[in-house]
Amino acid sequence: MEQYEPERLSAVQLAAMRRSLTGGRGALTRRSLLRASGMGALAIGGLGTLSACGIPPAKREGDAAAASDDHSAEEKQINFSNWTEYMDVSDDEKHRPTLEAFTKRTGIKVKYTEDINDNVEFFGKIKPQLAAGQDTGRDLVIVTDWLAARIIRLGWAQKLDPVNLPHAFANLSAQFRTPDWDPGRAYSYPWTGIPTVIAYNSKATDGRKVDSITQLLDDPALKGRVGFLSEMRDSVGMTLLDMGKDPGSFTDADYDAAIGRIQKGVDKKQIRRFTGNDYTADLDKGDIAACVAWAGDIIQLQAGNPDIKYAIPAAGYITSSDNMLVPAKARHKTNAEKLMDYYYEPPVAAQLAAYINYVCPVDGVREELSKIDKDMASNALILPDKEMAARSHAFRSLTSKEETAYEEKFAKLIGA
């Protein structure tokens, strides 16, 4: 693991992050997509914090925190930071059932804070303390895979004790077990998976199924009514798969070929536009007939429009994840691990999945979820079957140099 990494962000990296904040997944609360369609862009003040200077040498306390640093035994509490609307709530919105059940069982009180609006902004909040080897005031945080990778690489996440994670170790779905940034999940466990799929409006396609990137880019019947995402990893990753390349091990030449493939779709006006979350309104109306899409969005759109369909390409699909980490110097590591493990018990995982509607990374949940909602239990976008899970691919980790080069090419492609 690296002990030092200059993390100065380039202009194109910052531009890509701004796209994510104003139009991508970062611009949304996790459950209120349709309600959010009229919202303005979120604040991006955290970007300046990240770009102002290089990150100093990583503090190594995160790898092996001394037992004396963990106050779990005498302080029965956890400070938990999460995204907005990423936790189950009661119908009257006054209670958080799974958290309250955990406290009742263990005696550990959870101070739950919805203070993560986007990865970049949140990293800007906690980076100064992490860099200085100080407690962030948080025992458990949830961040998207690329940021989890950065925090782990810098030595700012505590290595987990498997003794405290028996359910997590046993029940973690195979497709999430070995990310290249945390092999074997030594530092993290996924909260949810976020699949990128193909979506289409069957009314707009006259009943025809759309199920491949090739069809999106080459079918003349779709000309001018195709959408791709403005998130590089999603659009390029799906195109790499369609070209027979592995997003987990591609080369510079493979990346350039994928960019060239999408560029042809732009040049011949097959692609209507590159979008963030705003593709949902156009897909719902039929102005976009088919597009690259996020699965969580499609579940919500289908609730109000039976014409919205999705397809998993035969070539496979991209999955990212949001992940639980214990920051370096956290005071209640053991308590945090107990909470992490709790959410890998199938009845608890089912209750959470029924509320947030994203891929549940816990095996053995289907029977429990069917007791809550049979339709959800049979929805492959929430509980992928073995065949679908086997077609899932993660976009590999990028070096800072690669990310700058790749985002620059992608920005030119989409006209950003």
Side-chain angles (χ1 to χ4, degrees):
M1 187 179 297
E2 298 175 41
Q3 300 224 0
Y4 176 79
E5 177 179 310
E7 288 278 339
R8 184 184 299 276
L9 298 183
S10 67
V12 292
Q13 285 175 300
L14 289 172
M17 290 175 178
R18 289 190 180 97
R19 289 200 305 274
S20 180
L21 299 187
T22 57
R25 287 205 325 267
L28 303 174
T29 62
R30 291 309 210 234
R31 201 167 189 265
S32 57
L33 168 72
L34 299 181
R35 294 199 305 272
S37 60
M39 292 171 59
L42 294 173
I44 57 175
L47 294 174
T49 305
L50 288 175
S51 60
C53 60
I55 287 179
K59 306 294 182 182
R60 303 309 299 169
E61 292 88 341
D63 277 349
S68 60
D69 291 338
D70 190 356
H71 300 269
S72 293
E74 66 270 23
E75 298 176 4
K76 295 293 187 180
Q77 64 186 71
I78 301 169
N79 296 314
F80 183 3
S81 285
N82 201 352
W83 296 75
T84 307
E85 298 190 62
Y86 224 14
M87 178 66 72
D88 57 299
V89 297
S90 60
D91 290 341
D92 62 8
E93 299 187 355
K94 294 181 179 180
H95 301 279
R96 300 190 184 278
T98 57
L99 285 178
E100 291 176 11
F102 173 79
T103 297
K104 184 176 181 180
R105 181 200 294 185
T106 64
I108 300 170
K109 295 182 179 179
V110 182
K111 181 182 178 182
Y112 184 75
T113 308
E114 294 178 315
D115 62 344
I116 306 179
N117 291 316
D118 61 76
N119 290 285
V120 178
E121 181 184 49
F122 183 67
F123 190 46
K125 289 181 184 178
I126 64 175
K127 179 177 74 71
Q129 293 129 307
L130 290 171
Q134 299 172 352
D135 180 12
T136 66
R138 299 167 175 87
D139 303 303
L140 187 63
V141 301
I142 294 180
V143 294
T144 304
D145 43 20
W146 65 265
L147 180 53
R150 181 172 293 167
I151 292 172
I152 292 169
R153 186 168 63 244
L154 290 165
W156 293 345
Q158 295 198 42
K159 195 170 187 177
L160 303 173
D161 185 347
V163 171
N164 296 324
L165 294 156
H167 294 98
F169 181 81
N171 296 333
L172 177 60
S173 298
Q175 75 180 97
F176 295 103
R177 283 190 176 270
T178 56
D180 65 354
W181 46 270
D182 187 17
R185 292 290 181 177
Y187 294 87
S188 69
Y189 271 91
W191 183 251
T192 54
I194 306 167
T196 302
V197 299
I198 290 176
Y200 60 99
N201 185 318
S202 61
K203 184 175 181 180
T205 64
D206 294 324
R208 295 171 62 244
K209 184 177 183 179
V210 181
D211 60 3
S212 71
I213 294 296
T214 292
Q215 192 174 357
L216 288 179
L217 291 174
D218 295 336
D219 187 343
L222 299 175
K223 184 174 182 179
R225 299 187 297 152
V226 168
F228 270 63
L229 292 170
S230 58
E231 296 279 354
M232 179 268 288
R233 288 168 175 80
D234 295 299
S235 287
V236 175
M238 292 289 281
T239 304
L240 284 167
L241 283 168
D242 189 72
M243 298 171 66
K245 302 297 182 179
D246 183 359
S249 60
F250 63 89
T251 65
D252 288 349
D254 295 333
Y255 182 88
D256 289 344
I259 289 290
R261 178 84 175 90
I262 303 171
Q263 183 67 58
K264 290 180 181 178
V266 173
D267 293 342
K268 64 183 182 182
K269 302 189 185 312
Q270 181 78 6
I271 297 174
R272 181 186 183 94
R273 63 192 184 101
F274 293 86
T275 70
N277 63 288
D278 51 326
Y279 72 86
T280 55
D282 285 346
L283 182 64
D284 191 41
K285 291 185 294 184
D287 292 341
I288 286 180
C291 61
V292 180
W294 291 306
D297 300 357
I298 303 312
I299 294 172
Q300 295 179 48
L301 284 174
Q302 286 178 326
N305 186 346
D307 294 324
I308 302 300
K309 312 291 184 183
Y310 77 92
I312 305 298
Y317 65 101
I318 294 291
T319 298
S320 56
S321 58
D322 284 336
N323 308 274
M324 296 181 279
L325 296 176
V326 178
K329 290 296 185 179
R331 288 180 61 87
H332 311 108
K333 174 176 179 285
T334 298
N335 290 345
E337 290 169 337
K338 289 179 179 178
L339 184 62
M340 293 169 71
D341 193 62
Y342 169 74
Y343 279 102
Y344 272 78
E345 296 178 20
V348 180
Q351 195 169 347
L352 180 67
Y355 183 81
I356 64 177
N357 295 168
Y358 281 81
V359 167
C360 180
V362 183
D363 279 342
V365 168
R366 194 175 306 278
E367 183 178 349
E368 296 294 336
L369 187 56
S370 67
K371 297 175 185 177
I372 301 171
D373 190 315
K374 290 184 178 180
D375 289 339
M376 284 188 182
S378 62
N379 191 328
L381 296 182
I382 297 176
L383 296 181
D385 55 27
K386 289 184 178 180
E387 180 183 359
M388 180 173 171
R391 288 152 70 183
S392 169
H393 298 264
F395 198 94
R396 71 171 173 84
S397 298
L398 302 178
T399 66
S400 184
K401 182 178 179 181
E402 284 178 324
E403 187 165 6
T404 295
Y406 292 172
E407 287 288 5
E408 185 174 36
K409 292 173 181 178
F410 187 69
K412 182 178 180 181
L413 167 71
I414 68 176

